[in-house]
Amino acid sequence: MNPKQSIPTFDDIHKAAITIKPYAHITPVLSSSLVNERTGAELFFKCENFQKVGAFKFRGACNTIMTLSDEDASKGVATHSSGNHAQALALSAKLRGIQAYVVMPENAPKVKVEAVKNYGAEITFCESTLEARESTLQQVVEKTGATFIHPYNDSRVIAGQGTAALEFLSSNPDLDVLLTPLGGGGLLSGSSISAKTLNPKIKVIGTEPELADDGFRSFQSGNIEPVIRTDTIADGLRTSVGDLPFQIIKQHVDEIVTVSEESIIEAMRFIWERMNMIIEPSCAVPVAAIFEGKVDVRGKKVGIIITGGNVDFGNLPW
Amino acid sequence: MNPKQSIPTFDDIHKAAITIKPYAHITPVLSSSLVNERTGAELFFKCENFQKVGAFKFRGACNTIMTLSDEDASKGVATHSSGNHAQALALSAKLRGIQAYVVMPENAPKVKVEAVKNYGAEITFCESTLEARESTLQQVVEKTGATFIHPYNDSRVIAGQGTAALEFLSSNPDLDVLLTPLGGGGLLSGSSISAKTLNPKIKVIGTEPELADDGFRSFQSGNIEPVIRTDTIADGLRTSVGDLPFQIIKQHVDEIVTVSEESIIEAMRFIWERMNMIIEPSCAVPVAAIFEGKVDVRGKKVGIIITGGNVDFGNLPW
């Protein structure tokens, strides 16, 4: 239970890109003239919804698992998650040929449980409270000796997530602004290191739902502020910002903005209908920030990392 | 009303690629390990659902309109269509700065009417019979002097559609098999010229719904057979094969297979859920052919052209 806590360097991200290369997709960058007309900007979408397991989370989990020592790896890896990190961990472990142990709440969506199972992970169910998840994970780790892989508060995970922006700035070096969603902060922090190293003039902006604005408030105060509400539709962003990502965000990120639930849903449907991509509500948050006018993009080249496309088709917001 | 009727050469397709380059997207090729596991093959998807107007049809319309003489172009272009060709024509005309006239049935989906209108086309509504569409188009052409652009029975359109396979075989030269849907035949015929020129050993297969199998029957008999039913969910494939595409298909295509409605719907949902892409029912037809085992793909590298993603969200088959 000891995630690696140093701040990753650009060199760590570069090494992570080499580590995950045999396993991860180089995701496409798409654009849409309809979106450009609506916003008066040139928007570019780095499509991590087409990444392995349908989300950028594969990058961080894969980098971490592939760089474990053989001794640690032989005992397996463990986490608690009902989301994309669980699938990312399960597939990465399968690719390394080791066991993954995933603690999931009893009420996790069946489709997510099935996906994790299909990748060969051993699932332990628990009550859906954070306490139950943590104590069950503790038991699993004690019993198996597996290494706990935190979804974002780990240097190796952050370095992996930073490879998406590394690829993005390599294919689109002249971006003026880069937007990502902000949940635990793994993606935003890793992206900010890559982006500011490759182009010190780029503006890096984190985006959050108003109903999960702990990152915004923390950025304002300079200290990690508690989560107050977690009822946003953007389920990937309900988590609170981690210490390690927050240190990086304070240093490299220019601004954090928040958006309403209505505009998240509207932006999500717009991307589905006009760009023919399935994106999660969390991915719609940076798009909503632009549509709402929370970020000034007119005349600029704007990059957005589309984080994932794992959606419950039985529970769409329209 | 005189579409160009000569069989296009590979050189025509190559020129079309240069003509449309400033306007069209180079669409990404995606793959999915889940799909590969299910099929025992390596599948590659050329994603024309991310093309301008959300469909490959933009390629053919754009090539035709950009190569019109200035005199012809000045009087505008016309067609009757309620589908992707209408949007492709409207946007291409807008990009050339000329007027598009589109005849649409009164009962065309509102979202498609709006899209065509948004691209600046002038719409004339008529009854939804083929006779009414053709006679209304005739009136529009007589009144305006606009050039009729046929959706597939035109050498320039076929050359444009062939650019998708040209790009595909350039990025993935070692494909063993190429599958496309078969409706009017513009895509299949153009693809077959590109594919067989670049790799004479490749197998080119057309795929149709059982409920719109005129192409299959025509291929068997050697003569164009009439459409019997048009009630397939794959609305893009209800049309009958054109003379000009059919001549090319007889020469270059290896096989045509048909699939059930159930398997089209299952394949469509599978691609939505597992690959996070929105595809039309028509695009699911080649995928269904593989899932149904109608095409032997085990151990092979298989290319599929995903034709479009324009779906009525209010009327999904699940």
Side-chain angles (χ1 to χ4, degrees), chain B:
Chain B
M1 300 285 251
N2 187 21
K4 202 178 156 203
Q5 285 293 332
S6 59
I7 289 181
T9 62
F10 180 69
D11 192 48
D12 292 328
I13 295 173
H14 201 261
K15 281 182 189 148
I18 295 165
T19 299
I20 70 172
K21 197 171 179 226
Y23 312 105
H25 289 303
I26 292 187
T27 50
V29 174
L30 299 183
S31 61
S32 155
S33 41
L34 283 168
V35 173
N36 292 349
E37 270 172 35
R38 175 165 174 178
T39 58
E42 273 187 88
L43 267 61
F44 300 92
F45 296 86
K46 175 72 172 167
C47 294
E48 291 294 305
N49 49 336
F50 303 138
Q51 187 50 269
K52 290 280 172 78
V53 313
F56 76 92
K57 293 271 183 183
F58 179 72
R59 295 175 181 267
C62 183
N63 183 50
T64 309
I65 287 173
M66 294 301 168
T67 52
L68 287 177
S69 70
D70 286 343
E71 196 194 330
D72 284 345
S74 69
K75 295 178 210 141
V77 289
T79 203
H80 65 85
S81 163
S82 58
N84 292 331
H85 178 60
Q87 291 186 49
L89 185 92
L91 176 58
S92 300
K94 183 183 172 191
L95 289 167
R96 180 143 184 194
I98 64 177
Q99 185 62 52
Y101 304 94
V102 177
V103 174
M104 294 183 104
E106 290 156 346
N107 60 359
K110 206 180 152 196
V111 55
K112 300 215 166 182
V113 175
E114 284 306 312
V116 170
K117 228 182 242 172
N118 284 342
Y119 292 126
E122 191 178 307
I123 300 176
T124 307
F125 290 100
C126 68
E127 283 180 58
S128 74
T129 64
L130 184 60
E131 290 75 20
R133 287 163 66 153
E134 287 182 341
S135 66
T136 309
L137 175 65
Q138 181 77 38
Q139 288 163 23
V140 168
V141 166
E142 278 168 12
K143 189 174 140 200
T144 60
T147 301
F148 168 49
I149 311 286
H150 194 281
Y152 49 84
N153 214 26
D154 184 305
S155 180
R156 299 160 296 188
V157 172
I158 293 171
Q161 317 307 28
T163 62
L166 172 59
E167 266 175 41
F168 199 1
L169 275 278
S170 302
S171 64
N172 297 63
D174 54 353
L175 294 177
D176 301 304
V177 187
L178 178 67
L179 282 87
T180 83
L182 169 55
L187 179 68
L188 179 59
S189 61
S191 298
S192 71
I193 296 169
S194 291
K196 292 284 182 174
T197 305
L198 291 166
N199 175 8
K201 287 187 189 161
I202 199 170
K203 249 188 117 174
V204 178
I205 300 177
T207 58
E208 268 190 331
E210 285 166 8
L211 296 191
D213 68 344
D214 62 296
F216 172 77
R217 287 181 285 107
S218 304
F219 194 72
Q220 301 299 318
S221 75
N223 298 300
I224 291 183
E225 302 290 338
V227 171
I228 296 171
R229 297 176 62 169
T230 58
D231 48 351
T232 172
I233 187 177
D235 54 338
L237 309 182
R238 289 175 190 156
T239 182
S240 71
V241 180
D243 316 328
L244 184 60
F246 188 58
Q247 291 175 53
I248 302 165
I249 289 167
K250 281 202 284 188
Q251 195 182 340
H252 291 301
V253 171
D254 296 283
E255 198 182 349
I256 293 174
V257 300
T258 62
V259 296
S260 72
E261 295 294 294
E262 296 69 34
S263 72
I264 295 171
I265 295 168
E266 198 269 324
M268 178 176 164
R269 179 145 184 172
F270 190 91
I271 299 299
W272 280 49
E273 290 195 328
R274 304 305 175 92
M275 292 190 67
N276 295 330
M277 294 199 295
I278 291 173
I279 65 170
E280 303 174 4
S282 303
C283 311
V285 171
V287 182
I290 293 174
F291 286 176
E292 269 197 33
K294 290 287 177 75
V295 182
D296 176 28
V297 296
R298 291 198 75 82
K300 292 182 182 154
K301 289 188 200 295
V302 182
I304 295 175
I305 300 184
I306 293 293
T307 48
N310 293 326
V311 175
D312 181 357
F313 277 51
N315 191 19
L316 294 175
W318 52 73

Side-chain angles (χ1 to χ4, degrees), chain A residues 31 49-50 272 275-276 278 309, chain B residues 49-50 272 275-276 278 309:
Chain A
S31 62
N49 49 336
F50 303 137
W272 280 50
M275 293 190 69
N276 296 330
I278 291 173
Chain B
N49 49 336
F50 303 138
W272 280 49
M275 292 190 67
N276 295 330
I278 291 173

